[in-house]
Amino acid sequence: MLSLMAVFMGGVVVGAGNPRRAKAKAPATEVKQEANGTSLTNQTNATVTDGSASDSTLSRHNFLYAGQSKQRRMFIVKDGKVSWSYQDDLKRGEISDAVLMTDGHILVAHQYGVAEVTQDGQTVWRYDAPQGTEIHTVQPIGQDMVVFVQNGKPAKAVVMEIPQCRIVREFELPITEKGSVHGQFRNARLTSRGTLLVANMSMGCIHEFTCDGKEVDRWGGMLPWSVQELPKTGNLLITGRKGLIQEINRQGKTVWQLDTRKYGVTQPQKVVRLKDGGHIINNWYNEWSKTPMDTANAPVQAIEVDKNGEVVWQLCSWRNPDLGPSTTIQLLSDAVNRDRCFFGSYGKAPKPKLFVGPNQPIGEGKGIHPGRVAWIHSPGVAQWDGHTGLWVEDRWNSQSKANQMILEGIVQLTGEQTPKKAWNALFKHFNKTHGRGNRGYKKGEKIAIKLNLNNAITHHDTIELNSSPFVTLALVRSMVIDGGVREQDIVLCEPSRAITDSIYNKVHRLFPGVRFVDNIGGDGREKCEYYTEQIAYSAESGKMARGLAKCIVDADYLINSALLKTHSGPGVTLTSKNWYGATDINLLWRQNAHNNVSQDKRNGKPQFKVFVDWMAHKDMGQKTLLFLIDGTYGSRDVNGAPNPKWMKEPFNGDWACSLILSQDEVACDAVAMDLIISEWPEFGSLNYCDEYLREAASIPNAPSGTVYKQDGKALEKPLGLFEHWNKEHKYTKIDLKYVKQ
């Protein structure tokens, strides 16, 4: 059969599905490398709606171009000229995907196989699709692997070692029983977190898979040709077969869309989002159509639409040179660095630069058991599907599991046998170390719980991640029932934001004596008041807030209930960052100063960190009975809904379903930081995110040279124990107690 005898880009035919290393040269391929290039001009007068004033020169963008057509060709257009062209003599198939990499090589999927070619005409390797299958999309994984989708019955995602073309992993993809193999898949793309997004044309949906074949998410109700993850937001940009381009968030909500048919673009397949907010959209033409092209009024091959919806560029070159139909347009500036591409355990995930290496402990531990951290992992406590309703709804959460997590956490932390004894031990240790004698809690002593509702500026529940009402209720419940604390002695507070209805209603219904204090007041909440000039920073901090909430200052004990998530500035937002919300900042975050919060991510130059002053403050870190990090959901993003689910061990595609508790703030944040770094090492702000912990654990010899003070007096001892875990998630000094319920 012809498909078994075809020669693609110089490859040697050895039969369907049988890979062979190609010859060094490609005699069956025409390669053009022209010093001066071929000048491109529009050869037709095609019209695009609203495009009368658009640019039609080829000098606007430098790009790789390829398309599904009767001729399997690729071009590089640079400075308005064809600087490189490529054509094979396969006689069958079509180029559905082409990926230019930073080393100059190009991965190409051509329906009947996949290959890697160079710009001097060599085929590095090639793989023929087994008989009855097709390959239309491919992605690099480091230097020695690729992943592609193989249409067929069954259809598969395949991880292959190159240049040997040895398959190291494959798993089946869902398809409909009816329909052709040809119409199953055209495009798949790796994400920044090492998962694979697959556009399923036959089922009308987008899938997200781990390298183990676990489907972690699915978005339906569309006709997708291609999909890509957008940087920063993690949203998906989907090109539909009927002219609809959509940007959706991880919850499936459309945040932007464009109907290309109003521009006369009826067959878009891929789209390029530009840095200025515009888009380059290809417009494929079907050369197999029985109706011949009207050469006098040929269709455009691509258009650029600016962020205002105006057409600012048109590509229409069907003669001298003929670029052919358009499927792939990739800007040369967007060449893919294969070393940064990974698929789960295949390839190397990027690693942030850190000040401290694994198992290099600094400082000294605090607490009944110095440096002890309890990590309670309870799969099933959080079950939101990521799309339906709000994550705070009862149907998505287990109150009983949250209750048990709190109980197990304080027992593990103290080493006591019962929650009652554990709470008593916590109070006794605190009072003894604060000069109050060897006693427990007394009626009338106030305990303020600092929540983290950074994403709430009204009392209404939203989809965004804030303190869990289930964890908050579990904490209050245990304090009252097991700790013997009077309801009226408990203050739930969020001085800088609003306490949402889900928390207020859930706690108030069972414990009506508990007080609630937030930034706006009303609806049963007290409006927060502040003491001014309570924070004297150890170094110049500009206009950083210096006032503190009265409910914080007036409390006898504090509990810091933080969240497990990243932050675009300091990299992480854990217990230390949570103190910012106890100061007299504005409800609108843009009106607040953020001096000395973020680290020097590029050079790692040591600097003073305000976090350390908050940790050392007598009415903040040093008044804290218990540090708690709520990771029942956890999130890679500081704003928005919980997103995404956690892929690594021990989570395996689930929510984090974790609580982290400690009496040592430094150790508590260190464990949570390691969890975040392990899960999302590619997150851009993680470089040197451990600076504030190194500073706090190094007192009185902080690397920045800062003399950290409390009430004007220089601190003489570390604020806690800092250490990063090793590859096996083991510490040498931090006493980690991991319990899976």
Side-chain angles (χ1 to χ4, degrees):
M1 294 179 63
L2 183 60
S3 62
L4 302 183
M5 298 299 295
V7 178
F8 177 75
M9 295 186 176
V12 178
V13 175
V14 294
N18 191 358
R20 284 282 299 273
R21 183 81 181 259
K23 295 180 180 179
K25 199 69 178 174
T29 303
E30 177 188 359
V31 179
K32 296 181 180 179
Q33 187 76 42
E34 303 179 24
N36 297 323
T38 302
S39 179
L40 287 182
T41 58
N42 278 351
Q43 302 299 320
T44 70
N45 296 315
T47 301
V48 172
T49 305
D50 297 330
S52 57
S54 63
D55 183 3
S56 60
T57 68
L58 267 293
S59 58
R60 184 174 180 86
H61 297 290
N62 297 326
F63 55 91
L64 169 72
Y65 184 101
Q68 291 182 317
S69 68
K70 293 181 178 180
Q71 301 180 68
R72 289 140 302 282
R73 300 176 297 169
M74 296 186 290
F75 304 90
I76 289 180
V77 177
K78 189 174 182 180
D79 299 326
K81 301 175 181 179
V82 172
S83 63
W84 176 84
S85 63
Y86 203 107
Q87 183 173 350
D88 75 87
D89 290 335
L90 180 63
K91 306 300 182 184
R92 292 189 68 197
E94 54 195 26
I95 295 180
S96 304
D97 201 6
V99 180
L100 173 67
M101 297 174 287
T102 51
D103 59 8
H105 291 201
I106 299 170
L107 289 177
V108 56
H110 57 90
Q111 184 175 357
Y112 293 108
V114 62
E116 179 177 342
V117 301
T118 67
Q119 292 184 39
D120 60 1
Q122 296 184 3
T123 300
V124 181
W125 58 266
R126 54 171 281 272
Y127 174 81
D128 296 329
Q131 187 172 7
T133 71
E134 297 182 4
I135 301 173
H136 291 276
T137 185
V138 63
Q139 287 276 270
I141 304 175
Q143 293 286 333
D144 56 1
M145 289 187 182
V146 295
V147 58
F148 56 83
V149 172
Q150 184 171 287
N151 292 15
K153 295 185 177 180
K156 299 177 181 179
V158 180
V159 178
M160 188 173 72
E161 191 175 45
I162 56 173
Q164 303 94 320
C165 294
R166 182 176 70 91
I167 294 175
V168 297
R169 179 75 181 179
E170 62 181 27
F171 55 86
E172 292 188 10
L173 300 176
I175 56 174
T176 57
E177 294 183 3
K178 298 180 180 181
S180 68
V181 166
H182 186 69
Q184 291 173 348
F185 304 97
R186 282 295 182 280
N187 183 257
R189 286 295 182 260
L190 290 169
T191 70
S192 62
R193 63 189 184 118
T195 56
L196 185 69
L197 294 171
V198 179
N200 191 327
M201 294 196 304
S202 64
M203 294 181 64
C205 62
I206 303 293
H207 309 271
E208 183 176 13
F209 292 99
T210 67
C211 67
D212 297 321
K214 180 179 177 63
E215 184 180 28
V216 294
D217 223 329
R218 180 185 295 196
W219 300 268
M222 56 191 70
L223 294 171
W225 202 97
S226 64
V227 61
Q228 59 184 291
E229 180 190 54
L230 294 173
K232 296 184 179 180
T233 64
N235 290 348
L236 309 185
L237 188 60
I238 302 163
T239 306
R241 294 160 59 198
K242 298 298 183 181
L244 185 64
I245 299 174
Q246 296 172 280
E247 177 185 346
I248 66 171
N249 62 22
R250 291 276 173 168
Q251 290 71 55
K253 180 180 179 181
T254 300
V255 298
W256 173 87
Q257 69 179 29
L258 181 70
D259 189 340
T260 65
R261 290 171 295 184
K262 70 179 183 179
Y263 303 107
V265 174
T266 58
Q267 296 286 341
Q269 295 179 337
K270 295 180 183 177
V271 62
V272 176
R273 173 162 289 184
L274 303 172
K275 292 181 180 180
D276 63 5
H279 297 82
I280 298 176
I281 306 161
N282 77 299
N283 184 37
W284 177 67
Y285 172 75
N286 184 2
E287 286 188 338
W288 289 270
S289 173
K290 295 181 180 180
T291 303
M293 178 190 292
D294 179 3
T295 56
N297 191 30
V300 293
Q301 293 147 314
I303 62 172
E304 178 185 346
V305 180
D306 66 17
K307 62 182 179 180
N308 298 317
E310 298 295 326
V311 176
V312 294
W313 180 62
Q314 300 180 55
L315 170 62
C316 190
S317 182
W318 294 97
R319 296 199 308 263
N320 190 31
D322 175 11
L323 295 183
S326 169
T327 296
T328 293
I329 293 180
Q330 179 188 355
L331 297 183
L332 301 190
S333 58
D334 290 340
V336 175
N337 186 338
R338 64 201 307 169
D339 290 326
R340 296 181 181 178
C341 297
F342 66 104
F343 187 25
S345 58
Y346 299 108
K348 295 182 179 180
K351 295 182 179 179
K353 299 176 182 178
L354 300 172
F355 278 114
V356 180
N359 296 148
Q360 297 178 7
I362 303 172
E364 58 184 45
K366 307 296 180 182
I368 298 170
H369 303 280
R372 176 171 290 188
V373 179
W375 171 13
I376 313 303
H377 180 207
S378 183
V381 68
Q383 304 174 60
W384 186 45
D385 66 0
H387 303 281
T388 310
L390 304 180
W391 68 269
V392 296
E393 297 174 34
D394 288 349
R395 57 176 167 163
W396 304 124
N397 301 270
S398 171
Q399 186 62 63
S400 62
K401 284 182 176 290
N403 294 342
Q404 290 301 313
M405 292 176 79
I406 289 291
L407 299 181
E408 185 66 35
I410 60 172
V411 165
Q412 289 293 329
L413 187 59
T414 60
E416 299 291 342
Q417 294 183 346
T418 67
K420 181 177 180 179
K421 291 181 178 180
W423 278 112
N424 190 49
L426 288 173
F427 281 112
K428 279 190 172 182
H429 181 268
F430 181 91
N431 286 323
K432 185 177 180 179
T433 56
H434 285 73
R436 300 178 183 175
N438 187 23
R439 66 170 181 83
Y441 152 82
K442 290 183 178 179
K443 291 182 180 180
E445 290 182 323
K446 304 300 180 184
I447 306 172
I449 302 173
K450 169 61 177 73
L451 302 174
N452 187 333
L453 291 128
N454 186 62
N455 290 319
I457 59 174
T458 74
H459 293 150
H460 299 298
D461 289 318
T462 71
I463 202 170
E464 297 185 288
L465 182 61
N466 291 300
S467 288
S468 165
F470 305 92
V471 171
T472 304
L473 176 59
L475 177 61
V476 172
R477 179 183 179 277
S478 185
M479 290 172 65
V480 174
I481 296 176
D482 304 307
V485 179
R486 295 194 310 170
E487 295 179 28
Q488 55 266 45
D489 288 340
I490 299 174
V491 181
L492 289 175
C493 67
E494 178 50 299
S496 66
R497 295 293 187 268
I499 296 177
T500 52
D501 290 334
S502 57
I503 291 177
Y504 176 82
N505 293 336
K506 195 170 287 292
V507 175
H508 183 70
R509 185 181 301 116
L510 295 179
F511 302 101
V514 172
R515 293 172 54 207
F516 296 82
V517 178
D518 69 8
N519 187 268
I520 61 178
D523 301 321
R525 291 81 155 171
E526 302 172 32
K527 182 174 174 60
C528 187
E529 296 180 351
Y530 302 88
Y531 292 116
T532 62
E533 299 300 323
Q534 296 294 301
I535 305 173
Y537 290 105
S538 300
E540 175 57 40
S541 292
K543 296 182 179 180
M544 279 294 291
R546 286 173 163 76
L548 270 178
K550 288 185 178 181
C551 59
I552 294 289
V553 176
D554 294 344
D556 297 285
Y557 312 91
L558 300 177
I559 294 178
N560 186 325
S561 182
L563 287 171
L564 182 65
K565 58 182 180 179
T566 65
H567 199 288
S568 57
V572 295
T573 177
L574 304 169
T575 67
S576 303
K577 177 69 168 63
N578 194 33
W579 289 126
Y580 191 36
T583 65
D584 59 348
I585 55 177
N586 195 286
L587 182 68
L588 304 177
W589 70 271
R590 292 184 182 277
Q591 298 184 19
N592 300 306
H594 294 82
N595 302 66
N596 301 311
V597 168
S598 299
Q599 64 278 11
D600 178 3
K601 300 179 184 67
R602 177 171 296 182
N603 303 308
K605 180 180 178 180
Q607 301 173 7
F608 159 67
K609 286 288 160 286
V610 295
F611 288 1
V612 182
D613 275 342
W614 298 339
M615 298 165 77
H617 198 282
K618 65 180 181 63
D619 287 316
M620 299 170 85
Q622 298 307 299
K623 195 194 284 186
T624 303
L625 175 78
L626 177 67
F627 297 96
L628 183 153
I629 299 177
D630 171 11
T632 47
Y633 282 93
S635 186
R636 186 179 59 176
D637 305 311
V638 64
N639 300 315
N643 170 65
K645 290 185 177 180
W646 297 58
M647 298 295 106
K648 309 293 178 57
E649 290 285 350
F651 312 115
N652 300 316
D654 195 3
W655 298 112
C657 297
S658 296
L659 287 184
I660 300 169
L661 304 92
S662 185
Q663 294 172 280
D664 186 326
E665 184 168 15
V666 176
C668 190
D669 276 19
V671 172
M673 180 180 290
D674 282 345
L675 279 171
I676 288 173
I677 292 173
S678 175
E679 184 66 26
W680 299 304
E682 77 284 351
F683 185 73
S685 289
L686 289 178
N687 282 343
Y688 304 112
C689 65
D690 58 352
E691 180 176 24
Y692 77 94
L693 294 179
R694 183 177 72 154
E695 288 277 288
S698 299
I699 294 172
N701 300 305
S704 67
T706 303
V707 177
Y708 289 98
K709 303 174 182 178
Q710 184 187 78
D711 288 339
K713 183 179 179 180
L715 296 171
E716 298 179 352
K717 295 183 178 181
L719 297 179
L721 176 63
F722 177 45
E723 183 181 6
H724 284 302
W725 63 21
N726 59 24
K727 292 181 180 179
E728 288 73 41
H729 297 177
K730 302 293 185 182
Y731 295 100
T732 58
K733 287 291 185 67
I734 287 180
D735 182 15
L736 180 63
K737 299 295 182 182
Y738 171 75
V739 176
K740 184 174 182 179
Q741 293 183 326

